[in-house]
Structure formats: structure tokens, C-alpha cells
Amino acid sequence: MSRLLPGTRALRTFEAAARHLNFTRAADELGLTPAAVSHQVKEIEDQLDLVLFTRTSRTMRLTEAGNVLHEASIDALALLNRAVSRARKMARGTALLKVTLDAQFATKWLMRRIDDFRRQRPGIELRFDISYDVRDFERDDVDIGIRFGTGKYAGLCAHRLFDNIIIPVCSPALLASGPPLNEPRDLFQHTLAHIDWSRQGVTWPNWSMWMQAAGVDDFDDSRTLVFGSSTDATQAALDGNAVALADFAMVANDLSQGRLVRPFELGIKVAPEFAYFLVYPEAVKDDARIAAFREWLLEEAAKTHGTEKV
């Protein structure tokens, strides 16, 4: 009977083709040629003696048999991925802790503090998965993560780290040589940068919102620089090209080291339902490595709370 079942590679190819209903898009995803995808699908059909797709000059559809096999292939591949993830975690032992987080949090906050954790816990080896993609703890080879979101994740423990306070920042050189910044309206004489981000009806604070909070009701935002990431907006400020709105926690070190200055104290909180959270599966909450990292990280996050100004 096992001879009648397609191999894992062929099954992945079929699943991608069935999901996209397009061999070219499936090929792009898999790093194959459309001809290779077509050939593998034809091999599966011949092996099973089934027609899995119906094709016309313009469309492709799954047959009834194709739908059945597609649903089963999704479940089978997911089961295999979870099993491989568990096997990898078992094989690497109990000393290694793999942390997934995004690049901004890693470079602007965590990495500046991580040597302290290593001094306190020399028996735990840390590895980092730096990505803006949300990892699956069952499928991916990671143990614990830091995510920006609402903290409502099924099957996961979530610990809020700190509020996000959005403040104006600029380089000392810009403050010294550019038009003076004595009151909020003086910002009209400068290039202003912020990010464009919204989710679930919540908008990340922008210059229009900051000006409104500052009592300025005639601000024209048509000349602001809009970036897709906070890192780019902050870099514009570091380079002396703009006054940027930045997350206090992510620029606190730049402020303390004098690379950035805060021309006005007014800050705006991001909607309270959104924040950075430490997350991990409920099933491993008593793991000694998880507990050690959780205790240390929450202590460090509490220190950040103590230096915010709103």
C-alpha cells in the first residue's frame, strides 16, 4: 500500500499547486519550474490512477478526488512539520533556548541588554530567530518569542512588556543648526517623519495626532515623510534629515548616549490593547529555561517603564 502513496516532496508540490490552482505560482513558491510542477503532479496522478485537476485554456480546478487529497495533504504536512519541530527540539537538548523576535526589538532593545542575561544564566545558550514573520511554536524550531500585537494568542502564555510611548526625536546636530524648536509650531520648519501602520481599527500615532495632542489644529501633513518601518523613520532622525516620531523604548539608548535628543516632552501612547508581549506555549511554562528568560525579561521591561515620560 505504501507504494501507492506519493512521497513528501511530491505531496508538497501537489499541495502548493492545489492551493494556488496555478502551476507557475506554485513553482515560484517552491523554487521549481512550472514544467517540473506539472511533471510531478502528472506522476502523482499516474501513480494513484486519479485525475486531480481539470484544466481548460484559462482555468484550473480540483476534481472531487483532488479536493479530498488536498485536504489530506494539508493535514499530513502539518503533522510532519510539527513532528520534525519536536524532534529537533529534543535533539538539541535542554541547554539551548531559541528566541524569535523582530529586527527592531532585537537591535534597539534586547541585544543591548542580553549580556546581562548571559552573565546571570551561563548554563543557557541563546539562539535568535530574527524575523518579522510570526513563527508557529508547533511547526518552527523556536521555544519562545516576542511579538507586537494584542497578546490574545490561543494556546500561548503572553506577558505584556511595556507600553509604547511615541515621542519626537532628532539629532543633536539638527537641533543645534536648524530652525529653533521652542514650541510645537516650530516643527513646521522641519522635515517630519513617521510610520504608516494600522491594524484592527488602531492607527500608530502620526504627526497629525501628535500636533492635535499639542494643541496645534492647522497642521498640514502633506509634506511629511512616511516610512513603512520604525527603523527607517528613526534612521532619518539619526542621520539629521528629519524630526521623527519614534517608540521611546526603541530609542531610549540612543537618547541616553546622545545620538538623539527629545525636543519636546509630549508623547502619545499607542492604543492600550497593542504592545510587545513575551509569548510561549502554555505546555512549556514550567520549563526552567523559559522561566529564567521570562523572569529576567520582565525585570528588564519594568526598568523601561520607569524611564518613560508621557
Side-chain angles (χ1 to χ4, degrees):
M1 183 66 183
S2 61
R3 291 184 179 179
L4 297 178
L5 299 178
T8 304
R9 180 177 298 178
L11 204 59
R12 288 185 186 279
T13 301
F14 166 72
E15 191 282 323
R19 176 161 33 86
H20 290 291
L21 291 177
N22 184 289
F23 286 172
T24 299
R25 288 198 291 270
D28 290 341
E29 177 183 315
L30 298 168
L32 301 173
T33 65
V37 171
S38 177
H39 178 71
Q40 288 191 36
V41 169
K42 183 64 167 61
E43 281 192 337
I44 296 173
E45 290 180 323
D46 291 344
Q47 182 180 2
L48 300 179
D49 195 22
L50 292 170
V51 176
L52 302 177
F53 293 94
T54 58
R55 306 167 181 84
T56 67
S57 59
R58 294 185 177 182
T59 64
M60 176 185 297
R61 293 183 180 180
L62 285 168
T63 63
E64 185 175 354
N67 273 311
V68 170
L69 187 60
H70 184 218
E71 291 177 5
S73 68
I74 293 172
D75 292 341
L77 291 170
L79 181 62
L80 281 171
N81 282 330
R82 290 194 295 269
V84 169
S85 176
R86 288 196 301 270
R88 285 175 174 166
K89 290 175 183 177
M90 292 171 62
R92 58 179 164 83
T94 59
L96 180 62
L97 183 69
K98 295 193 73 171
V99 185
T100 180
L101 69 166
D102 67 50
Q104 177 176 247
F105 195 96
T107 58
K108 292 294 186 179
W109 197 89
L110 185 63
M111 295 308 172
R112 302 179 187 278
R113 296 166 170 81
I114 205 65
D115 284 345
D116 178 68
F117 176 81
R118 288 181 167 133
R119 283 192 296 269
Q120 292 186 34
R121 300 286 183 168
I124 299 176
E125 181 185 355
L126 291 176
R127 297 273 181 86
F128 297 99
D129 170 65
I130 310 296
S131 175
Y132 285 102
D133 295 332
V134 176
R135 301 304 192 194
D136 185 326
F137 289 103
E138 287 192 345
R139 185 185 64 192
D140 298 317
D141 187 21
V142 294
D143 301 300
I144 193 168
I146 297 167
R147 292 182 184 174
F148 184 82
T150 63
K152 297 176 181 178
Y153 309 113
L156 302 183
C157 295
H159 304 271
R160 188 187 186 93
L161 298 182
F162 40 71
D163 293 330
N164 298 91
I165 311 298
I166 309 307
I167 62 170
V169 295
C170 65
S171 71
L174 184 146
L175 189 64
S177 62
L181 288 173
N182 299 317
E183 60 180 51
R185 283 184 177 278
D186 293 336
L187 288 163
F188 290 10
Q189 306 303 314
H190 289 266
T191 300
L192 305 180
H194 63 84
I195 68 168
D196 180 21
W197 182 95
S198 62
R199 189 178 300 170
Q200 298 178 22
V202 172
T203 299
W204 191 269
N206 54 40
W207 276 112
S208 292
M209 297 164 65
W210 190 92
M211 290 292 182
Q212 185 176 10
V216 178
D217 57 9
D218 59 345
F219 174 66
D220 178 8
D221 68 353
S222 63
R223 298 178 62 186
T224 57
L225 293 176
V226 181
F227 291 93
S229 75
S230 296
T231 300
D232 292 336
T234 301
Q235 190 60 50
L238 287 165
D239 292 342
N241 297 324
V243 182
L245 287 178
D247 186 342
F248 172 81
M250 299 299 109
V251 296
N253 190 68
D254 293 312
L255 290 168
S256 66
Q257 297 295 321
R259 289 184 290 272
L260 290 173
V261 294
R262 188 173 179 174
F264 301 103
E265 291 299 313
L266 176 64
I268 304 177
K269 283 188 176 182
V270 176
E273 59 265 38
F274 283 91
Y276 278 106
F277 289 86
L278 176 69
V279 296
Y280 51 87
E282 292 177 354
V284 298
K285 64 182 179 181
D286 295 324
D287 184 298
R289 301 164 303 154
I290 299 290
F293 191 77
R294 176 182 63 223
E295 178 183 349
W296 172 81
L297 190 69
L298 294 179
E299 286 180 357
E300 290 298 314
K303 296 175 186 177
T304 299
H305 274 297
T307 55
E308 290 171 349
K309 296 179 182 180
V310 185

